[in-house]
Amino acid sequence: MRYTNEATDVMNAGNFQYRIIGDDLQMLEVRLAPGEEIIGEAGAMMYMEPGIEFESKMGKRPGGGGGGLLGGIMNAGARMLAGESIFVTHFENTSNQNQIVAFSSEAPGKIVSIDLGGLGGTVLAQRDAFLCGSGDTGITVAFQRNLGAGFFGGEGFILQKVQGDGHIFMSAGGTIIERNLQGERLRVDSGCIVAFQEGIEYDIQRAGNLKSMFAGGEGLFLATLQGHGKVWLQSMPIGRLAHHIYSKMPSSQ
C-alpha cells in the first residue's frame, strides 16, 4: 500500500521508513518491512494495516535485557509509581509485504525522531514523552538521585530512561527546540524539558534571589542542564496548557 499523502517526505530509520505528517497536530506513519517490529506506548496507535499484529507486554528493561520475572515486575512497579502504564504494545509486520502502522500523541505539538545508536544509545526523557521506537528499545524509570531534584523537580523528577540501537520518536507540546550543549549551563523550566543525552548533568536550583522567586512569576526553582550533548525542549508543556485552559473556564458559582 502506498502512503496516503505522497507530498510528505519519507525518511529512512534503520530497517523501516517513516513520515511525520501535519504541522501543529502531528501524527506519525511507520512502514514496517516483513518481520519488522516497533513498540509504542499504550494508547498511542492511531491505525494499522491488516498485516500488522500487536500484543501488549511489560516494558523492557534498558538495553532490551529481560532481567527475568523479578526484573519485569520491578520495572512494571516503577512505571506504575511514575504514573505510566506497565505495558508497551509491540506491533509486528507478519505479512510478506510492507505494512503501515500510525501513531499520534495525546496533546497538540510536534514529533521528533531520535537516532539512539548515533547518540550513545541512551536518552533521559520526560514521562509521557516517548511515543514509539524500534523493537529493541528498552524503557524504564530513572529516579533522580539528587534530593533537590526529587523534592522540587516537579515534572522533571521522574524521567524515562530510553535505551537501544535504533530510532525512537518523542512527542512534545508546542514547538520542539534542539540545543547542542558544549559544556555550558542551561537553566530551564523543568516542564519544558523533553529529553537529553545521558551524561548531561541534571539538577534543580533556586531561581534567583527571594524577590525573583516570589515576584518573578517563573516559579521557585529551575532545572539546570550542563555538559556535552543534545537537549530537546518544548515550548508548551501539557501541564502548562491544561493550567491555562482551566484558568479560563467559567466558575460554577
Side-chain angles (χ1 to χ4, degrees):
M1 179 176 176
R2 293 171 61 84
Y3 278 121
T4 50
N5 179 4
E6 293 294 345
T8 305
D9 291 338
V10 177
M11 308 293 291
N12 291 311
N15 294 329
F16 59 84
Q17 295 179 313
Y18 71 92
R19 298 189 315 150
I20 296 175
I21 303 172
D23 187 12
D24 295 324
L25 299 165
Q26 291 185 334
M27 56 164 285
L28 170 72
E29 274 189 350
V30 177
R31 180 160 57 190
L32 298 178
E36 187 66 21
E37 181 184 71
I38 193 168
I39 67 171
E41 280 288 1
M45 192 275 294
M46 184 177 175
Y47 57 82
M48 56 186 172
E49 293 184 343
I52 303 291
E53 299 291 337
F54 68 96
E55 181 181 3
S56 294
K57 302 178 183 179
M58 284 189 180
K60 294 182 180 179
R61 297 185 63 80
L69 178 60
L70 180 59
I73 293 174
M74 292 178 63
N75 188 35
R79 286 172 62 85
M80 286 183 63
L81 289 174
E84 299 285 332
S85 170
I86 65 174
F87 296 100
V88 293
T89 307
H90 293 242
F91 300 88
E92 182 182 1
N93 180 4
T94 59
S95 72
N96 59 2
Q97 59 184 352
N98 294 339
Q99 299 289 325
I100 291 174
V101 57
F103 302 90
S104 60
S105 62
E106 62 181 10
K110 303 289 186 181
I111 297 172
V112 61
S113 169
I114 298 176
D115 179 9
L116 283 180
L119 296 176
T122 304
V123 296
L124 298 178
Q126 284 276 23
R127 46 185 285 190
D128 299 328
F130 178 79
L131 184 64
C132 61
S134 302
D136 68 341
T137 304
I139 309 167
T140 191
V141 174
F143 292 94
Q144 292 299 307
R145 295 186 298 270
N146 185 288
L147 288 179
F151 286 112
F152 304 116
E155 296 161 278
F157 168 44
I158 301 174
L159 300 170
Q160 291 181 328
K161 184 174 185 180
V162 186
Q163 188 170 353
D165 296 322
H167 275 71
I168 61 170
F169 299 89
M170 296 282 186
S171 62
T175 299
I176 295 179
I177 304 98
E178 182 179 309
R179 293 287 301 266
N180 192 16
L181 299 186
Q182 299 294 329
E184 68 269 29
R185 184 176 64 171
L186 185 67
R187 290 187 295 175
V188 188
D189 182 295
S190 62
C192 291
I193 298 173
V194 179
F196 53 91
Q197 276 186 262
E198 188 178 42
I200 290 180
E201 297 180 7
Y202 174 86
D203 197 5
I204 298 294
Q205 296 185 353
R206 192 179 69 185
N209 55 34
L210 290 177
K211 181 178 179 181
S212 298
M213 290 173 64
F214 290 100
E218 300 299 333
L220 302 182
F221 298 89
L222 292 173
T224 300
L225 300 170
Q226 186 170 13
H228 292 80
K230 290 188 177 182
V231 175
W232 292 266
L233 307 175
Q234 58 185 346
S235 64
M236 181 54 71
I238 183 61
R240 184 183 296 178
L241 176 61
H243 177 76
H244 180 72
I245 293 175
Y246 179 79
S247 69
K248 301 300 181 181
M249 294 179 64
S251 174
S252 59
Q253 297 181 351

